[in-house]
Amino acid sequence: MTKLVAVQGDITAQTTDAIVNAANNAMRGGGGVDGAIHRAGGPEILRDCIARFPDGLATGDAGWTTAGRLSARWVVHTVGPNHGAGQRDRALLESSYRRSLEVADELGARSVAFPLISAGVYAWPRREAITAAVDTIAATPTAVEEVRLVAYDEAAHREIASVLRMSTGVRILQGVRDLHRRGYHTLRAWTGVAPSGLFWRAVLTDAAHPDDPAIHYTSGNEAQFAAGTVDAMSTPREAAELIRGALPRLEVTNDAPDYAAWFAGLLAAVEPEHALPVAFADYFDDSEGWEIGWGSGLRYPKPPR
Ligand code: APR
């Protein structure tokens, strides 16, 4: 089981087996993380970059070199997409994390420290850079035991912690979508904000058995969900199995494709920023549909009957 931790500090000070460099296609050094790693690790790293990457490295790909004078054993270089230059395909950013973990596995690294790839000079919106990192690390099978997400400043560190906290809600909703895809169309989800305004809530029910006890989740309970735990590193399938365990009469019916499609659309709007949806709240007028991200003012049409 891979542990994901958020730390604040300098990537070059991380004592992990491998540290990840936010490089560029040329692979000959640069500013930001790239500059810091080359400066702290010394000229051996550049010599290795030239020897091992004579033609550079493609965006979304990763490769390793010596770590030179750094305490890490290897530097895993990856090139994230340059949002500022118009490279806005999130799949390329996700590929940077996935390929870096694959390379770490080839090396036998047991701990890896990532900076927020593309979130600096490459100007990727930070919250989306964080959710891409967290969701890809959670979804990538790897033998790496500890992954650190290193924030350079306090604001980034706070935002990573917030994404990790809200990831339980996102994984629960992804579990609902997983069950819909498997034909459990009577599964319904309502989400909203507690009267205190402090906690996000989800209520999951089986529309075929409305008198069966519903599953209630509140973010006040953090990762505790349906007699188990769901956190940022859980998979949608794990959340789905906890839901099925708590709604024992839930069956495959395939009888509400319109609801399943509506829900999949809701989740597609939620996932990029982990913006939890709100269908009910004291402040809320649901005539214009659900809100994507509590207090965002962004609306999504109400579910079909
Ligand atoms: N340690 C940890 N994080 C850092 C450090 C550091 N020493 N320096 C910068 N960061 C943070 C930035 O604040 C940002 O959140 O790492 C993230 C990535 O920033 P960049 O290093 O600018 O990387 P990126 O946005 O991927 O741009 C890559 O910048 O440095 C050049 O040669 C590099 O051309 C490439 C481009």
Side-chain angles (χ1 to χ4, degrees), residues 37-158:
I37 287 175
H38 280 275
R39 263 193 312 279
E44 277 179 79
I45 298 180
L46 180 57
R47 271 201 296 277
D48 220 10
C49 284
I50 295 166
R52 299 175 51 78
F53 304 97
D55 304 322
L57 187 63
T59 299
D61 198 1
W64 63 273
T65 66
T66 174
R69 293 195 300 264
L70 290 168
S71 60
R73 291 181 62 188
W74 304 283
V75 174
V76 176
H77 304 262
T78 187
V79 182
N82 185 337
H83 194 276
Q87 293 178 336
R88 309 218 162 154
D89 179 0
R90 184 183 166 106
L92 280 174
L93 184 52
E94 292 165 349
S95 170
S96 276
Y97 286 95
R98 185 168 44 254
R99 282 289 302 127
S100 295
L101 286 173
E102 286 169 2
V103 170
D105 280 340
E106 287 161 21
L107 295 166
R110 286 287 172 269
S111 55
V112 176
F114 281 98
L116 288 176
I117 307 294
S118 291
V121 167
Y122 283 179
W124 203 278
R126 188 169 63 198
R127 188 161 185 95
E128 285 206 35
I130 295 169
T131 62
V134 170
D135 291 349
T136 308
I137 292 163
T140 304
T142 173
V144 173
E145 290 154 7
E146 179 193 347
V147 174
R148 290 185 197 174
L149 206 41
V150 181
Y152 202 36
D153 56 50
E154 164 63 26
H157 184 56
R158 263 202 316 273

Side-chain angles (χ1 to χ4, degrees), residues 165-185:
R165 241 191 342 272
M166 296 168 92
S167 292
T168 295
V170 174
R171 296 287 179 268
I172 290 168
L173 298 179
Q174 290 171 331
V176 171
R177 180 179 58 192
D178 179 69
L179 287 164
H180 284 164
R181 283 175 176 162
R182 292 154 66 189
Y184 293 90
H185 287 187

